[in-house]
Each structure stands twice: as C-alpha cells, then as structure tokens.
C-alpha cells in the first residue's frame, strides 16, 4: 500500500461475512499486520499507514488461525512507466504449540509488479517462533526470498533475539 499519499481517501473500510463458526471472508481496504511486522505490517511509524485493497479469508481453529489473502497495491506516489498494476497475496498460519512455543508461524507471500517495463515477481517463505518462558523470552525468524526480473536473486533473512525481565515491576 501507499505510504506517502496526500490525496483524500479511505484508509480502512471492509465488509465481512461469517461463512461458518471458524471461517470469515472479508472484502475491502485494510491494514495487514502479520507476526512482528518484519515483512508485512501497516508501517505504524509513518504519518500515513499502509493499507491494501483485498479479499481475505480467515480460518480459526483451536491451536491458531490461517489467513489467506489477495490484494491489489495502490501506490499513489509511484512514478511507474508501465500500465500494469501491483498485486500482493499470501498465506499466514499463526499457531500456539505449547507454553514454551506460544507463537509458531509459517508464511508464504507473493508480490507481482507489472507497473514497470520489467515485470518483477517476488516470493517469500518463512517461519517465526516467539514465546516467553518464565522471565526469559525469545524470538527467531527465518525467511527465504526469491526475486525474478531482468536479474533474478535469492536473499535470506535471519533474526534471533533473547530477552530477560529484570523485575516484574519494570513491565509497562
């Protein structure tokens, strides 16, 4: 989504329909936030947040949820020379396995940019694990990204964190 759009527009507006107890379908414009927002987030630090025009299905089950979405990216500040559009789709599975593995997430994202003379497609695959254990906490995330355009590349992202709470009264 756009982060520098100065025109008057709707930031978020959605219609949702509960198909069954665990399944909800949503159509509209909304922010997407997955995991710790390293790859997909609304960019809360920006004056204008990121929102997507999308169709999304969310299936909830006892151990977590699965989100499947397809979006069109509207970027008002793009200076693209092509006539096409940009699309973004993905699947995000958020799961609670145990007390020591409270967030175990897997994801696949795909982005196709037809807005320039050279079509670019990007696929990202990853896993995220995060949990507190008593006064300790940890987070690990690993992503593989493949980019195909005039020159294809493959990139990896690894993030490891560990923390310790010195005293319970210091929690905000």
């Amino acid at each position: 989504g756009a982060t520098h759009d100065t025109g008057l527009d709707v930031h978020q507006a959605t219609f949702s329909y509960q198909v069954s107890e665990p399944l909800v379908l949503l159509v509209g414009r909304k922010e997407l936030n997955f995991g710790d927002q390293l790859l997909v987030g609304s960019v809360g630090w920006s004056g204008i947040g990121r929102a997507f025009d999308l169709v999304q299905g969310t299936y909830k089950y006892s151990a977590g949820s699965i989100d499947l979405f397809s979006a069109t990216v509207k970027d008002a500040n793009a200076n693209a020379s092509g006539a096409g559009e940009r699309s973004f789709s993905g699947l995000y599975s958020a799961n609670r396995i145990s007390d020591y593995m409270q967030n175990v997430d897997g994801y696949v994202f795909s982005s196709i940019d037809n807005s320039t003379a050279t079509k670019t497609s990007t696929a990202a695959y990853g896993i995220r694990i995060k949990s507190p254990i008593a006064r300790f906490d940890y987070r690990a995330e690993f992503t593989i990204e493949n980019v195909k355009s005039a020159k294809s590349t493959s990139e990896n992202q690894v993030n490891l964190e560990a923390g310790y709470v010195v005293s319970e009264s210091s929690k905000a």
Side-chain angles (χ1 to χ4, degrees), residues 17-167:
Y17 175 69
Q18 187 159 0
V19 177
S20 62
E21 182 62 33
L23 180 62
V24 175
L25 296 178
L26 183 137
V27 176
R29 178 177 290 179
K30 70 175 267 198
E31 295 178 348
L32 288 175
N33 295 303
F34 292 115
D36 290 313
Q37 302 178 35
L38 287 180
L39 291 173
V40 181
S42 60
V43 192
W45 47 265
S46 175
I48 301 171
R50 180 177 292 145
F52 298 87
D53 295 335
L54 58 77
V55 174
Q56 180 179 18
T58 301
Y59 181 82
K60 294 186 179 184
Y61 52 96
S62 62
S65 64
I66 297 174
D67 284 285
L68 179 65
F69 68 91
S70 180
T72 299
V73 180
K74 178 184 169 211
D75 197 350
N77 64 316
N79 293 321
S81 59
E85 60 184 28
R86 295 174 17 197
S87 63
F88 180 54
S89 57
L91 180 134
Y92 195 93
S93 176
N95 305 280
R96 180 186 170 106
I97 305 296
S98 71
D99 288 343
Y100 303 114
M101 297 179 79
Q102 292 184 15
N103 301 102
V104 179
D105 305 346
Y107 52 84
V108 177
F109 298 121
S110 173
S111 173
I112 299 174
D113 187 350
N114 288 314
S115 66
T116 60
T118 305
K119 177 182 173 181
T120 303
S121 64
T122 304
Y125 316 91
I127 187 167
R128 171 183 165 267
I129 303 170
K130 177 180 178 177
S131 187
I133 302 173
R135 295 175 82 163
F136 292 92
D137 61 73
Y138 71 91
R139 183 170 84 81
E141 187 161 355
F142 177 71
T143 307
I144 298 171
E145 185 175 87
N146 296 313
V147 180
K148 293 180 183 175
S149 65
K151 180 182 176 186
S152 296
T153 62
S154 182
E155 301 167 357
N156 300 318
Q157 172 256 308
V158 176
N159 183 279
L160 301 171
E161 297 178 17
Y164 178 76
V165 177
V166 177
S167 72

